[in-house]
Amino acid sequence: MKFYELDSAGSRIQSEENISDHKFMKILSIETSCDDTAISIMEAKEGITNASFKILANNSNSQIKIHIPYGGVYPKLAKREHLKNLPIILEASLKQAKLDKKNKPVDAIAVTYGPGLEMCLWEGITFAQSLGKKWDVPLIPANHMEGHVLSVFGKDRGKFKIPKIVFPILSLLVSGGHTQLVLTKKWMWYEIIGETLDDAVGEAFDKVARMLNLPYPGGPQVSKLAEKAREEEKQSLRGVSQAVGPRGSASRARGDSDPEKISFPLSLPRPMLHSQNFDFSFSGLKTAVLYLTRKIGKIDSETRAQIALEFENAAIECLVFKTKKAMEKYKIKTLIVAGGVAANQHLRNEMQKIVGRNIKLLFPTKELSGDNSLMIGIAGYLNYIKNKRKVPRLGSIKAIGNLRL
Ligand code: KG4
Ligand code: ZN
């Protein structure tokens, strides 16, 4: 993408990365990469390392209910919903920010251009382009995954600042479409050092949820079940219910002489745990759950919870093990864990265990773990500064479904 000099945002073109322009700039940000339609308006100022933000509006519409019957995101439906909801959310956001839509309400528009579902990305982009034209303001294309990385600095209301960061940073990005370990040696610089070779971890959570007859989106549901089973297991280890634990009941149900008997505790594979790289694989784990559920047949609620627990343990162990290895190799000082799966409490707890005193661990707030437009506003603004306030021509921005960091 070509970048052009810009002065229409009313600001000088700066030559330094760390400009100190104390004038606030208003940015409207749009996110439509998957099934959330989201718009925020923020005031932003200062350079990359000391940028500060004030949220004026933050609104989104989740399409979860619409996609439930399909057991996953149905792209054509998602596209239609974005088209329908974008103007409604824009109105609400301008009202919330007390801005007049007729009077050039913002200085720039940040919009997600990838990665994601291309037909959904296009809805956000064309909407942003029409606003950009109408208001005569520039468009800043933002990478959704960079948004996830930067989401750890955000809040969902009020003001926030980019804090002091010690490099190198390692980011574990875990979402419905990605599982990546990313090394950052300086601001806005990314090197993918490992990633999934097949399914993303969030996708595996969602597919396992479907196998367990849990509704979409399954990640939080599997995790809720696993959490409960983990708690019960802890209780039983404390001797509260050692005699008739959930494992006992399921094996009894099949009878001890049954050769097809499922043995408890369940044991699922940890694919690529000891591979000599930082890559992941979750499709084998998912398939192992499929075979297990087929073997069991009718699954009672205790067994379902045991499967959720073992699946979550296996998936999170893979993430944590490789992250730890990468942290050691690259002498990491700051660890970021972001993306939808970063909402997972077990992942949070296990990550906490592997960081020593000298490593800062950053998670997004639970509100900012999933897709949101605030992270797009942050990524948009910081890129604007990084690119010395140059932006691509309005019409040249294209959706890139498989955009990389
Ligand atoms: O980042 P995100 O909102 O959207 C994408 O960019 O993909 O991530 C969504 C993914 C889904 O797969 C969802 O099931 C998963 O994040 N997820 C979770 C949890 N909350 C959301 N997975 C495991 N445990 C959770 N608590
Ligand atoms: Zn995402």
Side-chain angles (χ1 to χ4, degrees):
M1 193 181 300
K2 262 188 166 177
F3 285 81
Y4 297 85
E5 301 248 336
L6 175 96
D7 52 14
S8 67
S11 312
R12 277 174 296 133
I13 292 166
Q14 304 280 344
S15 55
E16 278 298 328
E17 203 179 65
N18 241 326
I19 59 155
S20 185
D21 178 353
H22 289 273
K23 186 176 159 284
F24 271 112
M25 173 178 168
K26 283 196 186 71
I27 295 199
L28 181 134
S29 49
I30 303 174
E31 158 63 36
T32 61
S33 68
C34 192
D35 61 341
D36 289 286
T37 320
I39 293 182
S40 316
I41 304 173
M42 283 193 286
E43 279 181 347
K45 68 171 184 176
E46 308 287 1
I48 292 175
T49 58
N50 61 344
S52 64
F53 298 84
K54 181 178 170 196
I55 301 170
L56 304 181
N58 180 30
N59 291 289
S60 64
N61 174 69
S62 159
Q63 302 175 5
I64 285 178
K65 276 191 188 145
I66 292 159
H67 297 288
I68 283 177
Y70 303 92
V73 179
Y74 185 29
K76 270 194 184 158
L77 211 58
K79 171 188 152 75
R80 202 186 71 191
E81 286 296 304
H82 288 313
L83 181 67
K84 189 180 90 192
N85 289 317
L86 277 167
I88 301 168
I89 299 174
L90 175 69
E91 284 286 331
S93 300
L94 290 170
K95 200 169 158 199
Q96 193 183 358
K98 299 189 177 60
L99 294 169
D100 177 6
K101 68 175 168 190
K102 293 191 194 94
N103 211 0
K104 190 178 168 176
V106 294
D107 301 302
I109 301 169
V111 62
T112 310
Y113 74 113
L117 298 168
E118 243 168 55
M119 62 171 82
C120 293
L121 291 163
W122 272 119
E123 286 307 325
I125 293 170
T126 50
F127 187 71
Q129 282 167 333
S130 70
L131 290 178
K133 215 165 162 186
K134 194 159 114 192
W135 294 335
D136 187 26
V137 296
L139 248 60
I140 311 166
N143 182 317
H144 182 86
M145 298 316 288
E146 184 169 38
H148 275 305
V149 173
L150 299 171
S151 70
V152 299
F153 304 122
K155 283 188 190 161
D156 64 330
R157 63 189 64 198
K159 294 179 184 177
F160 58 89
K161 251 179 99 85
I162 301 289
K164 280 232 163 332
I165 290 293
V166 188
F167 293 90
I169 306 175
L170 179 70
S171 300
L172 173 70
L173 302 181
V174 277
S175 70
H178 292 78
T179 305
Q180 293 179 326
L181 274 170
V182 182
L183 180 65
T184 293
K185 291 182 181 163
K186 56 181 185 177
W187 277 110
M188 321 294 285
W189 180 98
Y190 306 97
E191 184 193 347
I192 299 170
I193 56 164
E195 62 189 321
T196 183
L197 303 181
D198 40 57
D199 291 358
V201 64
E203 186 183 354
F205 263 93
D206 294 338
K207 286 178 177 165
V208 164
R210 240 187 285 175
M211 294 170 202
L212 299 178
N213 290 323
L214 297 166
Y216 161 85
Q221 307 271 350
V222 171
S223 143
K224 219 160 96 189
L225 267 188
E227 209 57 55
K228 203 166 150 257
R230 191 172 291 114
E231 203 38 55
E232 280 171 13
E233 195 169 79
K234 267 193 214 150
Q235 297 276 339
S236 92
L237 282 174
R238 282 188 205 118
V240 179
S241 59
Q242 267 163 341
V244 277
R247 296 161 188 177
S249 55
S251 41
R252 266 199 325 276
R254 288 209 149 252
D256 280 347
S257 56
D258 187 344
E260 287 279 279
K261 185 178 80 176
I262 309 297
S263 59
F264 287 81
L266 295 174
S267 169
L268 289 168
R270 272 77 171 148
M272 294 185 69
L273 194 64
H274 296 289
S275 66
Q276 295 305 306
N277 53 31
F278 300 111
D279 290 334
F280 304 94
S281 165
F282 292 100
S283 110
L285 173 59
K286 171 198 73 186
T287 310
V289 175
L290 180 69
Y291 289 153
L292 184 65
T293 53
R294 280 191 187 153
K295 200 167 161 186
I296 294 173
K298 199 170 171 347
I299 301 174
D300 61 32
S301 60
E302 278 175 10
T303 311
R304 180 181 290 123
Q306 285 300 311
I307 296 173
L309 174 63
E310 174 59 7
F311 165 75
E312 185 176 81
N313 283 342
I316 303 300
E317 191 178 327
C318 295
L319 295 175
V320 173
F321 191 83
K322 288 277 165 93
T323 303
K324 186 165 186 280
K325 255 179 68 177
M327 267 172 25
E328 287 161 3
K329 172 161 180 192
Y330 293 99
K331 303 196 170 23
I332 294 303
K333 294 280 187 258
T334 303
L335 175 63
I336 286 177
V337 182
V341 184
N344 185 284
Q345 194 56 49
H346 183 53
L347 175 64
R348 288 181 178 232
N349 296 344
E350 294 302 298
M351 284 297 180
Q352 204 74 56
K353 288 182 195 164
I354 62 162
V355 291
R357 280 191 177 180
N358 299 325
I359 297 168
K360 183 139 182 80
L361 174 59
L362 299 171
F363 286 105
T365 63
K366 293 236 167 140
E367 291 79 15
L368 295 191
S369 295
D371 292 348
N372 65 86
S373 50
L374 287 171
M375 68 184 197
I376 300 308
I378 305 172
Y381 179 70
L382 297 189
N383 272 287
Y384 187 60
I385 301 299
K386 180 188 161 203
N387 294 322
K388 303 186 175 74
R389 298 176 186 263
K390 290 179 190 169
V391 291
R393 276 192 214 289
L394 266 188
S396 72
I397 298 176
K398 307 234 172 311
I400 304 177
N402 58 359
L403 181 69
R404 300 207 18 114
L405 264 174

